[in-house]
Amino acid sequence: NETITIKGKQFFILKIIGRGGSSKVYQVLDHKKQLFAVKYVDLEEADAQTVESYKNEIQHLNHLQLYSDQIIKLYDYEITNSYIYMLMECGNLDLNTWLRNRKTVNPLDRKFYWRNMLEAVHTIHNHGIIHSDLKPANFVIVNGSLKLIDFGIANRLQPDVTSIMKDSQICKKGDVWSLGCILYCMTYGKTPFQSITNQIAKLHAIIDTSHPIEFPDISEKDLLDVLKSCLVRNPRERISLKELLDHPYLHHSP
Ligand SMILES: Cn1cc(Nc2nc(NC3CCCCC3)c3c(C#N)c[nH]c3n2)cn1
């Protein structure tokens, strides 16, 4: 069956893991039967800005390999005018699928995965990257720990150059909100505004500081405090990533 050749090495396609607009992710084997993920991007229809955004994402992914184990391993890549191949480590499952398949998350997994997510996002923030679209599908489980697979740079609708560069500390707080939503989901089995089905009403609730987010009582008081601190609507008052890394939830058992 089908093979992919990257930098002269041949890989055998086992299955397609996912597909996006012009990208596909395959699970492949090399000649030593080692498992990898290959991301393929079709550049035929891509405009110069899109190609640039993909090259930017790859440069950052390549560089950040050195700084954290919670960033997916990029072993090699091949860029031509018509396609991109990225050879990466393969996760067993992405966090979105994992969360969908289970009703409850055990407190130890949740705490461990939270630590992994914080470390990954702290790493990209330290290099001036703000994801601004963090969701469970951006993380994969590799040998029991979570790894970030993309930085939200590729194919983002580029902020038009007129957008005034906001204070980056404030923008980083957007990623804290997103992480809080993921942790909320791992705690209560639903996202903070999931019960509001009308999209407009949901949007109003999200931005309405007088609309209270429900935090049903739980035994882990440290976890409850993390959730309430992340899901503060005013970014200035919201907890920072640095403070999250020092929070008792990460350091006190249970
Ligand atoms: C469902 N599932 C996922 C895996 N593992 C996996 N999925 C990856 N992307 C998936 C593409 C579809 C959406 C969810 C992420 C990548 C990846 C990139 N990009 C680099 N390594 C990976 N490993 C095994 N089953």
Side-chain angles (χ1 to χ4, degrees), residues 67-123:
Y67 295 91
S68 168
D69 248 358
Q70 296 346 109
I71 304 288
I72 200 80
K73 285 281 165 283
L74 173 67
Y75 299 109
D76 213 343
Y77 56 92
E78 187 171 283
I79 304 184
T80 70
N81 290 332
S82 48
Y83 65 81
I84 296 173
Y85 277 136
M86 297 162 74
L87 181 67
M88 297 180 274
E89 67 182 318
C90 192
N92 316 67
L93 199 58
D94 68 285
L95 183 62
N96 187 46
T97 308
W98 186 81
L99 276 176
R100 257 205 336 253
N101 295 348
R102 68 186 340 92
K103 282 295 143 246
T104 58
V105 176
N106 98 45
L108 275 181
D109 285 340
R110 177 169 51 223
K111 185 174 291 195
F112 188 71
Y113 286 168
W114 179 244
R115 188 179 285 113
N116 296 158
M117 289 188 274
L118 289 182
E119 184 186 324
V121 177
H122 190 228
T123 301

